[in-house]
Amino acid sequence: MIRPAMLACLLAFSTGLSAFAQSAWVETDDKVIVGALGLTVDEIDDMEVVDAAGQKIGEVEDVVGPTRTEATGIVTDLDTKSGLLANDEDIIVPLAGVEVHGKALRLLGDAATLRGYDIYQD
């Protein structure tokens, strides 16, 4: 009985990851409310991005998703001096990977997690 439950959890987890890893991202309309954060896309655009210690490490470039009315990720431009990425690239952080921290967004993952996120190709 435990095995079917474990299998269901694994399938749900793997489906969630594959749903996030998509090849085409669409910029979300400014008026869309990003429910997970309680803010509109327009309010999120250009917010500072901070690490767990509250230090600025970048800023929000865009909010993206599978359609213009559904937000699933935050395009984050990390400062090259942060040392988190080897190149000057924007990453797509899933909504579950950020939280509102004052007037900024705080990244919840460690450096290894951040390096595993998709690179945004605009």
Side-chain angles (χ1 to χ4, degrees), residues 5 12 15 37 47 57 59-63 65 73 75 85 88 90 92 102-104:
T15 301
L37 302 175
M47 284 181 82
I57 58 171
E59 68 180 34
V60 174
E61 286 294 312
D62 289 305
V63 179
V75 177
L85 296 176
D88 184 19
D90 297 342
I92 304 170
K103 294 183 179 183

Side-chain angles (χ1 to χ4, degrees), residues 17 31 37 53:
L17 288 178
K31 295 184 193 284
L37 302 175

Side-chain angles (χ1 to χ4, degrees), residues 3 47 56 66 97 101 105 107 115:
R3 288 187 180 176
M47 284 181 82
K56 181 182 177 195
H101 180 72
L105 292 182
L107 296 179
R115 289 184 192 109

Side-chain angles (χ1 to χ4, degrees), residues 1-11:
M1 187 172 279
I2 292 175
R3 288 187 180 176
M6 289 175 54
L7 179 60
C9 288
L10 286 172
L11 287 173

Side-chain angles (χ1 to χ4, degrees), residues 20 25 64 73-76 90-94 117-121:
F20 186 75
W25 293 95
V64 295
I74 305 290
V75 177
T76 305
D90 297 342
I91 58 171
I92 304 170
V93 180
Y117 289 145
D118 288 347
I119 302 298
Y120 183 63
Q121 306 293 329

